[in-house]
Amino acid sequence: MKASRLVSLLLTLQQRRSARAGELAALFEVSVRTVYRDIAALQAAGVPLWTEPGRNGGIRLLDGWRTRLDGLTGAEAAALFAGAAPEALAELGLGSVLLAAQAKVLATLPEGLRDRARTIAERFHLDAPGWFHRGEELPHLMTVAEAVWEQRRVTVRYRRTDATVRRTLEPYGLVLKAGVWYLVARVPDADAVRTYRLARITAVETAGDVFDRPAAFQLAQWWSASAASFDRTLMRDRVRVRLSPRGLTRLPHHLDPAARGEAVLHTGPPDAEGWCEVELAVESPQVALGQLLPLGGELEVLAPAPLRAAFAEVGAAIAARNAIPAG
């Protein structure tokens, strides 16, 4: 968005003091013409910028001039990066920090950017959890978060399906996924990075020693790769169905959004009626039943036989329940 790019451009020039238009265009992935338009917008907002032609020329910022945007504290900057999820920041105890950071940014932006930023805040809001989502009890979230910030080892008691275990962890980061908090941490005993659901941590002890977090570890990239791997392990079964043209169009809306790319394994050509055979990867036949039933008469199950029988049984029950009484 232009407002965000203008702020980034201003801070980049403040750091470098001078840069060529081509360098800035490559950095922000825009055209050189767009860079010059952005410079003109900043000049109109009162930023002392000018351009110098020639071999040693470029776009320059007046020596000694600085915006106060870089006066943000570390906590305020962290809050701004996650500012689209105010509920998450409140759970981490950063709600007031977010308000302070937003106020500081609005006070230091040029008037045109200030109005733009305020308009964005008024018109866009992220509500990540699904409908009817009930928040989990998270008595240890703040303790774990502090260990993440300070890079301190923790010893936790973690409730698994079959037992409660004790683990010493090096917490690398926290992830909020669909309203559920997860801890990404290294297990020194296993030399492996694993994921733990915060609501299943029943006790936490923070150690006094500090661990070295790998500089190369990127939380977002690790989470994306881990989530994709997890999705693949879930898709253990295969089903074959026959879909009408309308059913084929509606199919993606009834699959798990995280697994859509992996679910459709093969789609055959349309037959004389325009229907196609589709092979799907599913978590289980029971899950497939719930996902595919909304397609109703637009779908025919070909295999496995137990899933076809389950569809027939549900269909017969619906027909019997909704039959029109004679007479």
Side-chain angles (χ1 to χ4, degrees):
M1 301 179 74
K2 183 177 179 181
S4 175
R5 189 176 67 246
L6 288 176
V7 173
S8 300
L9 176 60
L10 175 56
L11 293 176
T12 298
L13 288 171
Q14 181 169 291
Q15 180 184 16
R16 299 185 181 184
R17 310 310 297 179
S18 176
R20 294 183 177 277
E23 295 173 347
L24 296 171
L27 180 63
F28 294 105
E29 299 181 346
V30 296
S31 67
V32 171
R33 179 176 296 182
T34 297
V35 169
Y36 281 118
R37 281 201 298 262
D38 289 348
I39 295 300
L42 288 171
Q43 290 172 327
V47 178
L49 288 167
W50 76 95
T51 58
E52 290 184 352
R55 185 174 182 179
N56 298 318
I59 299 166
R60 299 187 182 277
L61 181 64
L62 179 68
D63 289 341
W65 187 92
R66 299 185 68 83
T67 175
R68 295 190 302 277
L69 275 174
D70 57 354
L72 291 172
T73 68
E76 289 170 343
L80 280 179
F81 279 114
E87 294 84 0
L89 290 171
E91 290 181 339
L92 289 172
L94 292 174
S96 60
V97 174
L98 174 61
L99 293 176
Q102 290 174 336
K104 184 178 288 188
V105 169
L106 289 176
T108 54
L109 282 173
E111 184 176 354
L113 297 185
R114 187 185 313 148
D115 293 340
R116 177 68 170 170
R118 188 179 290 111
T119 300
I120 292 172
E122 290 172 350
R123 301 187 185 185
F124 293 91
H125 174 69
L126 173 65
D127 184 9
W131 290 108
F132 312 115
H133 173 82
R134 297 184 62 184
E136 297 179 315
E137 294 293 328
L138 301 168
H140 304 295
L141 175 58
M142 289 299 298
T143 303
V144 172
E146 289 174 0
V148 171
W149 310 141
E150 299 172 3
Q151 294 181 205
R152 295 191 182 275
R153 290 186 180 88
V154 294
T155 299
V156 305
R157 292 184 63 82
Y158 188 75
R159 187 180 70 252
R160 300 194 310 196
T161 304
D162 54 345
T164 297
V165 297
R166 185 180 176 88
R167 292 282 185 272
T168 296
L169 306 174
E170 295 178 351
Y172 282 4
L174 289 165
V175 175
L176 181 63
K177 168 74 171 179
V180 178
W181 284 99
Y182 296 91
L183 169 65
V184 176
R186 177 177 174 268
V187 185
D189 293 342
D191 192 22
V193 179
R194 295 174 179 167
T195 302
Y196 297 87
R197 187 164 178 160
L198 256 293
R200 294 183 181 175
I201 293 179
T202 60
V204 182
E205 297 176 13
T206 304
D209 55 333
V210 176
F211 66 90
D212 292 325
R213 188 179 189 276
F217 182 81
Q218 298 293 326
L219 180 62
Q221 294 177 8
W222 185 91
W223 178 263
S224 178
S226 176
S229 176
F230 179 69
D231 288 340
R232 286 192 294 271
T233 63
L234 285 180
M235 312 296 273
R236 295 185 296 265
D237 288 297
R238 302 288 184 268
V239 302
R240 273 194 312 115
V241 298
R242 185 167 171 264
L243 288 164
S244 71
R246 186 165 182 263
L248 192 63
T249 301
R250 291 172 53 194
L251 176 64
H253 302 291
H254 299 284
L255 300 175
D256 184 344
R260 284 175 188 165
E262 305 285 340
V264 180
L265 300 176
H266 175 72
T267 302
D271 59 19
E273 298 178 89
W275 287 51
C276 298
E277 284 193 19
V278 179
E279 184 179 357
L280 301 172
V282 297
E283 184 175 345
S284 69
Q286 292 77 16
V287 172
L289 178 65
Q291 290 176 323
L292 300 178
L293 264 177
L295 293 173
E298 309 297 332
L299 171 141
E300 177 188 359
V301 176
L302 302 177
L307 181 61
R308 182 180 177 92
F311 264 79
E313 182 179 348
V314 172
I318 292 173
R321 179 69 63 181
N322 293 277
I324 299 174

